[in-house]
Amino acid sequence: MINDIATGTGSLLINLKCPGCGAEYDASLTNTFCTNDACKSTLFAQYDLSQPLDKAILKDRPANMWRYRELLPVIDPENIVTMGEGFTPILPIQNLRHFTEGNEVFWKNEAGNPTGSFKARGIGMAVSKAKELGIQTIATPTAGNAGGALAAYAARAGVKAVVYMPKLTPQVFKDECRLYGAQLVEVDGNIADCGKLVAEGAEEKGWFQISTLKEPYRLEGKKTMGFEIAEQFNWQLPDVVFYPTGGGTGLIGIWKAFDELEQIGWIGSKRPRMVAVQSESCNGIVTAFNGGHSNAEFVDGGFTIANGLRVPKSYADKVILKVLRDSKGIALSVSDSEMSAAVKEIARHEGVLMAPEGAALWQAYKKLKSSGWIQPGETIVLVNTGSGYKYLENIEI
Ligand SMILES: *Cc1c(COP(=O)(O)O)cnc(C)c1O
Ligand SMILES: [Zn+2]
């Protein structure tokens, strides 16, 4: 079905653009980040959004992230590597409503994606585009979920995956990489250390690296969460979106999606306030936001049960901080014990076993509600980024 382009147009991709210096890059070539040494910024895919599009193009398209293909970067549908990622459910809070009085609170539940997290969106997009560009070996540093997703999508695409992961990651994240046939390197350090080693290996062996936000297309995959939130709320955006922020790809992507939807006339100018939630052990964005800074410092307080949030410094810290400020949002951190308690509370009362990263949002929501930052009458979306099943060795039952 995804190969049926008769019911609409194809990708409207034009090129890639650096938000720092404005340089444009040819998207038919392999790109990473801006090569201008003064910015080295993440590159953003640009589309021809000058003509309004008819929402009717979505009718009869499959319920996965590829339904928005005009606004996605893969040109030839033959290159799409898919396992049905995306179009995840919106679940209302059911039995914990005494905490949410006055608000409508929903989870966007990413747990059911292939390999159990929303990383399937970004990696599925990056692997598809890499296939289109003829790339043979893809390497990534990972805190866990990106590695599993890369291993799986590379297996399906028939290309080679190399994954660098911290030793202190739960075993299942390592086992799945090996099962999917990736080459796994365990690193005595954090994701930043993994990043350095991948860069060395890539230089030496000619691998293509897809480190978070140093490659343009993972962002385009995660952006589809923004399209879906808009579509699933009938093109009326919620008031607040909570996002567990490591590298920040999803937060930036959701924001980019809303801008693109406005340009094609599918939504108006209303935007949600964006909330970045981090682990207390790695809260560089929170510190920078509270200090009024436009850059984050390197912060690594060591182990956290939310391995996806152990990112000492996001490559796109400036963009994340700008989105938070432009949206009149906020950033806050949550401790491991709070995340663990939230995982259990939500499992027991809502029937959903969440990744600690997702459960952190519940704690953050409660804090912002009791401080009055969340107002009565507001509609809230919490993005549960992954399944809790991979994290069980870190949750005391
Ligand atoms: C990777 C990951 C995150 C952080 O995602 P970013 O978009 O890089 O900030 C959050 N939750 C889970 C479960 C993850 O795997
Ligand atoms: Zn630049």
Side-chain angles (χ1 to χ4, degrees), residues 120-371:
R121 296 177 187 264
I123 301 289
M125 190 62 66
V127 169
S128 298
K129 195 64 193 176
K131 186 177 170 201
E132 186 151 87
L133 294 165
I135 289 162
Q136 291 301 319
T137 303
I138 308 176
T140 197
T142 178
N145 278 318
L150 174 60
Y153 282 86
R156 195 157 179 95
V159 300
K160 199 167 170 290
V162 186
V163 174
Y164 282 67
M165 191 183 291
K167 265 205 186 87
L168 276 184
T169 311
Q171 188 62 32
V172 63
F173 290 95
K174 301 173 191 168
D175 291 342
E176 67 170 341
C177 288
R178 294 195 175 103
L179 281 165
Y180 290 126
Q183 178 187 331
L184 177 71
V185 183
E186 294 186 43
V187 176
D188 211 351
N190 58 36
I191 193 170
D193 303 312
C194 294
K196 284 185 204 127
L197 293 170
V198 168
E200 286 170 23
E203 173 91 32
E204 206 175 292
K205 308 223 168 77
W207 304 330
F208 182 65
Q209 295 178 69
I210 57 162
S211 305
T212 302
L213 297 165
K214 289 186 179 174
E215 180 279 340
Y217 300 112
R218 285 175 64 181
L219 178 66
E220 295 304 292
K222 282 196 178 171
K223 161 182 103 171
T224 57
M225 291 187 290
F227 294 156
E228 291 173 24
I229 289 171
E231 185 174 358
Q232 291 169 311
F233 283 87
N234 201 20
W235 313 106
Q236 304 291 320
L237 298 185
D239 298 296
V240 186
V241 174
F242 282 70
Y243 185 80
T245 306
T249 325
L251 183 108
I252 298 169
I254 289 170
W255 196 248
K256 183 175 191 279
F258 295 156
D259 276 348
E260 292 173 354
L261 291 178
E262 185 178 357
Q263 287 183 60
I264 57 169
W266 290 7
I267 61 170
S269 59
K270 179 194 159 178
R271 293 289 183 279
R273 309 203 295 292
M274 301 296 291
V275 179
V277 179
Q278 297 201 289
S279 160
E280 272 179 5
S281 91
C282 253
N283 63 356
I285 295 292
V286 178
T287 309
F289 182 83
N290 290 338
H293 306 299
S294 54
N295 283 81
E297 300 291 329
F298 187 98
V299 178
D300 184 15
F303 179 82
T304 166
I305 58 169
N307 33 287
L309 300 186
R310 191 169 172 201
V311 179
K313 186 179 184 318
S314 166
Y315 192 69
D317 52 342
K318 276 195 197 127
V319 188
I320 297 171
L321 288 161
K322 185 169 184 317
V323 169
L324 295 178
R325 295 199 172 105
D326 287 352
S327 76
K328 303 190 170 54
I330 199 168
L332 71 165
S333 36
V334 171
S335 70
D336 272 19
S337 60
E338 288 174 308
M339 285 188 247
S340 189
V343 166
K344 290 188 239 180
E345 184 170 60
I346 299 160
R348 184 177 194 114
H349 298 286
E350 299 287 318
V352 183
L353 186 54
M354 292 189 179
E357 292 88 337
L361 305 183
W362 178 236
Q363 218 57 40
Y365 164 77
K366 288 195 223 169
K367 288 185 193 191
L368 291 180
K369 185 164 171 68
S370 62
S371 76

Side-chain angles (χ1 to χ4, degrees), residues 18 20-23 34 36 39-41:
C18 170
C21 67
C34 180
N36 179 347
C39 48
K40 290 190 168 162
S41 162

Side-chain angles (χ1 to χ4, degrees), residues 47-93:
Y47 299 83
D48 178 5
L49 308 175
S50 56
Q51 306 293 325
L53 278 178
D54 190 339
K55 280 179 195 139
I57 57 175
L58 297 178
K59 206 174 149 284
D60 302 330
R61 288 197 182 167
N64 64 50
M65 72 174 184
W66 298 97
R67 65 199 268 102
Y68 310 105
R69 61 177 172 249
E70 286 79 2
L71 307 180
L72 298 177
V74 175
I75 310 292
D76 181 352
E78 290 287 333
N79 292 318
I80 293 175
V81 181
T82 181
M83 295 189 269
E85 53 291 324
F87 225 79
T88 53
I90 300 280
L91 303 176
I93 298 275

